[in-house]
Amino acid sequence: MLKELKDQYNTRITNALDLTLSEPSKALKQLESLKERDFEKFDNKTKYRLLISLGQAYLILKEEVKAAQALAESLEFNPENEHALTNASLGFLLVKDDNMARILIKKAIKINPESSIAYSLLIDSYFGNKNIDEIISEVPEKILNSTLVAESIGTAYFSLDKLDEAKKYFEIALANSKVDIPELKVNLAKTLVRKATNDNLEYIPELLTEENKEEINKAIKLVTEAWDSNKTDELRKINIEWLATRVFAYRDLSKFDKAFDDIELALKIVPENIMFMKRKALLLYDNNSLEECVEQCKQILLTNDDIEIKFLLSKPLFKLNRYEETEILLKDIIPKLDNLELKDASNKLLFLCYMYQKEYKQAESFINNLLKENPENITYLIYAGS
């Protein structure tokens, strides 16, 4: 009787786990119901398996705190197992407790000195660390090019803008993967686009070489393969950000029709998504649809007091010779800008507004004040001499 119950519980966990690949919300409800009703009846092995499955479902749904709790709790029921240790360490990484994660990772490595999961998590625990090469040097050569480790190395280099190295390891991870990993394809695609455009968000198609265009086309293919792997509306909604990479890739190739198609597709799936609303405004500007860009920005600002959108709005207003509106807008946002690059661009645009309105004394006073703050800014020096 006990064996039959155990088998029944494990079958239900397995079925729910399979369901996470298509309907994760439904799978999560089944797993949560199972935990609420029957958890105390389970043996430790089944408790562990249920908590790991819950963690996976929460992760797919991007509920990272709940995923972390389930993964960390699972260790209690299988404390000496390598995979239990690495799963729990992932839980601690999700809530930024890197030190606790590393303690568990080192225990896992002691059990299995060639654990690709453990070493990939060890690299993840140093995300953004400029000394990542020292950590990578600890990885046994035998597993250095495994999919898990190579993907973590690629992610680490990407975070440091070392795009050549990121590309190399993402490609190694993809080549050595025995299963389809859509997220890996998207990460490689992001790297290819950033590398081809020199990490420049501006639309400057004339700077692209044929090799750059080839890399961007490869990125589009990768994102398309990843996106097409989403077989349900729920998965498409969860992974909607993947389309953002393809939008910019199409734009960089001046394929605006396809870029707008992706924007409309995204907004159909997530109608109020601010990221895609902003992307649409930017696309309209890059496509020289200035009046439409103004309207899109104003539409966003009705419900979102977004300073980046206000800056973007100033650009089509200026191009449309609406200098007074541009001046009023820039005077409002410049004191509030923390982003130095945007602040510099806003200052330059405001100076030009003064000049085009023949407010020469105000322009002179404004540029001299800027030079006091930044005496080596080449553009300011040029403007001061104009």
Side-chain angles (χ1 to χ4, degrees), residues 59-86:
L59 265 180
I60 291 171
L61 291 165
K62 304 189 187 303
E63 296 187 38
E64 294 189 347
V65 173
K66 289 184 177 180
Q69 291 170 343
L71 293 171
E73 185 183 352
S74 71
L75 185 61
E76 177 185 345
F77 303 104
N78 202 1
E80 302 303 321
N81 180 272
E82 171 200 345
H83 295 296
L85 288 162
T86 54

Side-chain angles (χ1 to χ4, degrees), residues 244-258:
T245 298
R246 196 166 70 177
V247 166
F248 274 133
Y250 279 137
R251 181 207 63 171
D252 290 330
L253 295 177
S254 301
K255 295 181 178 180
F256 282 96
D257 287 347
K258 289 182 177 293

Side-chain angles (χ1 to χ4, degrees), residues 219-248:
I220 290 171
K221 183 175 182 291
L222 286 165
V223 176
T224 300
E225 290 174 1
W227 180 252
D228 289 347
S229 72
N230 293 316
K231 300 302 182 185
T232 64
D233 289 342
E234 183 177 17
L235 289 177
R236 282 187 278 273
K237 187 172 184 178
I238 290 169
N239 297 316
I240 194 68
E241 290 187 8
W242 294 356
L243 283 180
T245 298
R246 196 166 70 177
V247 166
F248 274 133

Side-chain angles (χ1 to χ4, degrees), residues 28-72:
L28 180 60
K29 286 181 181 178
Q30 292 180 9
L31 292 166
E32 286 180 329
S33 173
L34 200 55
K35 184 174 188 287
E36 186 177 341
R37 284 202 327 265
D38 300 312
F39 193 71
E40 296 307 319
K41 302 174 186 176
F42 297 167
D43 60 16
N44 282 356
K45 186 175 180 180
T46 307
K47 287 178 179 177
Y48 167 76
R49 187 160 180 258
L50 175 61
L51 289 166
I52 292 300
S53 301
L54 271 169
Q56 183 172 328
Y58 283 129
L59 265 180
I60 291 171
L61 291 165
K62 304 189 187 303
E63 296 187 38
E64 294 189 347
V65 173
K66 289 184 177 180
Q69 291 170 343
L71 293 171

Side-chain angles (χ1 to χ4, degrees), residues 343-344 347-348 351 362-386:
K343 193 163 191 171
D344 183 53
N347 283 330
K348 292 170 183 175
F351 172 79
Q362 202 159 354
E364 182 181 8
S365 173
F366 180 67
I367 203 68
N368 285 337
N369 286 332
L370 290 178
L371 280 169
K372 286 178 185 177
E373 297 174 10
N374 194 348
E376 296 182 2
N377 187 298
I378 300 299
T379 304
Y380 294 169
L381 288 168
I382 293 171
Y383 285 171
S386 60

Side-chain angles (χ1 to χ4, degrees), residues 314 317-319 321-331 346-360 362-363 366 383:
S314 71
L317 286 175
F318 181 82
K319 278 193 173 184
N321 303 329
R322 292 159 64 172
Y323 303 126
E324 187 176 351
E325 289 177 72
T326 310
E327 178 185 336
I328 292 169
L329 184 60
L330 290 171
K331 282 181 175 178
S346 298
N347 283 330
K348 292 170 183 175
L349 198 57
L350 181 54
F351 172 79
L352 293 174
C353 278
Y354 290 138
M355 293 296 287
Y356 278 98
Q357 293 178 97
K358 299 183 179 179
E359 298 173 359
Y360 300 127
Q362 202 159 354
F366 180 67
Y383 285 171

